[in-house]
Amino acid sequence: MTEEKVFTISELATMFDISSRTIRYYEEIGMLFSENRDSLTKQRTYTNRERRRLKMILRGKKLGFSLQEIKEMIGLYESNPEGEAEKSRIIAFADSKLKEIEEQIMQLQMLREDILTYKEKYENSRVKT
Amino acid sequence: MTEEKVFTISELATMFDISSRTIRYYEEIGMLFSENRDSLTKQRTYTNRERRRLKMILRGKKLGFSLQEIKEMIGLYESNPEGEAEKSRIIAFADSKLKEIEEQIMQLQMLREDILTYKEKYENSRVKT
DNA sequence: CTCCTAGTTGACGTAAACGTTAACCTAGTT
DNA sequence: AACTAGGTTAACGTTTACGTCAACTAGGAG
């Protein structure tokens, strides 16, 4: 019933269109974990939890964040702060990231407008042939 | 009257808080040009046009694009298409970039929501001290 | 003339994020 | 038994985007 589906490394790789090496690398630098590896074959298995982590990592990458930054952000999701000091430190980090993200959204909207403007310029300049 | 202000390399560098080396590198790979270099001292001078180009490059970088991608996008701004075929090729490129950018904005908004959610979770869990 | 500042061209070095290859293991065919 | 498919570790290679350093030059300040 509660049998959780697990994935092999190549299943995850094809699922997200990345290489197995990439997944091993993420594990190497502590961004991904493979629980319950077969003690004999040493093969990695991943749970849905790790699949979601990987998805977050790839989203972060597409958005231009470094793996280090992504690691810290995921840490935000998973941290269990002890005491008020730790909590406000985390909230401050969240706020700074939020500001950064909002700035990035604004810049992207500006870039979008720019490209639209140039595109329309081309569309309206009919070439006489 | 129409005397355009020009900048030295270190002026531009401090203006955008980057190194001179970075500027030379961008020139090296054909993303920036220094017109009218002193024939004796070989010193570079930049016009407002190049200052704007540099600004675009740095914006692109902050948004997570590679220098190659940025180069292509700037090419979009500066291209002067000959004939309908060339024009529709450029418009198609613009469209694909626009899609990409809109997707990126959406992802950023989702990330923003995620972080907000987690932040509020921490804020509302008062620690009893 | 000497020194300092600001620039120049190579050319080699480096961090991040993987790619690639070698040498090995195990499970499942044929 | 031999082969194939899919996985493992270890280690060296590669690309991007610069950093760093050496050796040189031209223009002023004193």
Side-chain angles (χ1 to χ4, degrees), chain A residues 59 63 76-77 79 81 84 87 91 95 102 107-108 111-112 114 118-119 122-123 125 127, chain B residues 59 76-77 79 81 84 87 91 95 102 104 107-108 111-112 114 118-119 122-123 125-127:
Chain A
R59 177 179 69 179
L63 296 176
L76 177 64
Y77 295 95
S79 66
E84 285 299 326
K87 255 178 59 178
I91 290 178
D95 281 333
E102 279 154 19
Q107 298 276 333
L108 274 170
L111 179 57
R112 193 180 100 93
D114 286 3
Y118 277 87
K119 187 191 153 194
Y122 289 136
E123 281 175 338
S125 75
V127 175
Chain B
R59 178 179 67 179
L76 177 64
Y77 294 95
S79 65
E84 285 299 327
K87 254 179 58 179
I91 289 179
D95 281 333
E102 279 155 19
Q104 213 163 330
Q107 298 276 331
L108 274 171
L111 178 56
R112 194 180 98 92
D114 285 3
Y118 277 87
K119 189 192 150 192
Y122 289 136
E123 281 174 338
S125 75
R126 289 261 148 260
V127 175

Side-chain angles (χ1 to χ4, degrees), chain A residues 2-115:
Chain A
T2 340
E3 283 299 325
E4 244 217 301
K5 163 111 172 97
V6 295
F7 310 95
T8 73
I9 194 168
S10 56
E11 273 172 352
L12 271 193
T14 52
M15 181 177 299
F16 290 109
D17 196 32
I18 58 179
S19 73
S20 300
R21 165 64 170 139
T22 298
I23 296 180
R24 279 192 213 98
Y25 177 66
Y26 292 161
E27 199 169 328
E28 209 177 306
I29 61 176
M31 299 192 66
L32 229 48
F33 308 96
S34 47
E35 220 81 350
N36 296 328
R37 292 174 62 168
D38 188 315
S39 60
L40 181 52
T41 68
K42 297 284 181 188
Q43 294 210 16
R44 292 167 172 81
T45 57
Y46 298 96
T47 68
N48 267 304
R49 177 182 162 77
E50 293 306 307
R51 188 181 51 73
R52 275 194 301 276
R53 277 183 76 97
L54 182 52
K55 199 172 180 178
M56 283 198 278
I57 295 174
L58 298 176
R59 177 179 69 179
K61 279 204 56 190
K62 267 182 58 183
L63 296 176
F65 296 101
S66 73
L67 293 182
Q68 254 318 305
E69 289 176 301
I70 296 169
K71 200 171 174 180
E72 289 170 355
M73 286 195 263
I74 293 183
L76 177 64
Y77 295 95
E78 293 175 348
S79 66
N80 204 7
E82 302 282 333
E84 285 299 326
E86 180 74 354
K87 255 178 59 178
S88 48
R89 202 187 57 74
I90 288 181
I91 290 178
F93 176 72
D95 281 333
S96 79
K97 277 297 158 184
L98 283 170
K99 263 190 79 175
E100 199 177 316
I101 289 168
E102 279 154 19
E103 169 70 17
Q104 212 164 331
I105 291 176
M106 275 184 46
Q107 298 276 333
L108 274 170
Q109 279 161 349
M110 287 175 52
L111 179 57
R112 193 180 100 93
E113 288 304 315
D114 286 3
I115 293 184

Side-chain angles (χ1 to χ4, degrees), chain B residues 74-120:
Chain B
I74 293 183
L76 177 64
Y77 294 95
E78 293 173 349
S79 65
N80 203 9
E82 301 284 331
E84 285 299 327
E86 180 74 354
K87 254 179 58 179
S88 48
R89 202 186 56 74
I90 288 181
I91 289 179
F93 176 72
D95 281 333
S96 78
K97 278 296 158 185
L98 284 170
K99 263 190 78 174
E100 199 177 317
I101 289 168
E102 279 155 19
E103 169 70 16
Q104 213 163 330
I105 290 176
M106 276 184 46
Q107 298 276 331
L108 274 171
Q109 279 161 351
M110 287 175 52
L111 178 56
R112 194 180 98 92
E113 288 304 315
D114 285 3
I115 293 184
L116 268 175
T117 303
Y118 277 87
K119 189 192 150 192
E120 281 161 14

Side-chain angles (χ1 to χ4, degrees), chain B:
Chain B
M1 280 290 189
T2 340
E3 283 299 324
E4 243 216 300
K5 163 109 173 100
V6 296
F7 309 95
T8 71
I9 193 169
S10 56
E11 274 172 351
L12 271 193
T14 52
M15 180 176 299
F16 290 109
D17 196 33
I18 57 180
S19 73
S20 300
R21 166 65 170 134
T22 297
I23 296 181
R24 278 192 214 96
Y25 177 66
Y26 292 161
E27 199 169 330
E28 209 178 306
I29 62 175
M31 299 192 67
L32 229 48
F33 308 96
S34 47
E35 221 80 352
N36 297 327
R37 292 175 59 169
D38 188 314
S39 59
L40 181 52
T41 69
K42 298 284 182 186
Q43 294 211 15
R44 292 167 171 82
T45 56
Y46 299 97
T47 68
N48 266 304
R49 176 181 162 78
E50 293 306 308
R51 188 181 51 73
R52 275 195 301 275
R53 277 183 76 97
L54 181 52
K55 199 171 179 179
M56 283 197 277
I57 295 174
L58 298 176
R59 178 179 67 179
K61 278 203 56 189
K62 269 181 59 183
L63 296 177
F65 296 102
S66 74
L67 292 181
Q68 252 320 303
E69 288 176 301
I70 296 169
K71 198 171 176 180
E72 290 171 355
M73 285 195 265
I74 293 183
L76 177 64
Y77 294 95
E78 293 173 349
S79 65
N80 203 9
E82 301 284 331
E84 285 299 327
E86 180 74 354
K87 254 179 58 179
S88 48
R89 202 186 56 74
I90 288 181
I91 289 179
F93 176 72
D95 281 333
S96 78
K97 278 296 158 185
L98 284 170
K99 263 190 78 174
E100 199 177 317
I101 289 168
E102 279 155 19
E103 169 70 16
Q104 213 163 330
I105 290 176
M106 276 184 46
Q107 298 276 331
L108 274 171
Q109 279 161 351
M110 287 175 52
L111 178 56
R112 194 180 98 92
E113 288 304 315
D114 285 3
I115 293 184
L116 268 175
T117 303
Y118 277 87
K119 189 192 150 192
E120 281 161 14
K121 210 182 66 181
Y122 289 136
E123 281 174 338
N124 296 333
S125 75
R126 289 261 148 260
V127 175
K128 295 145 205 153
T129 305

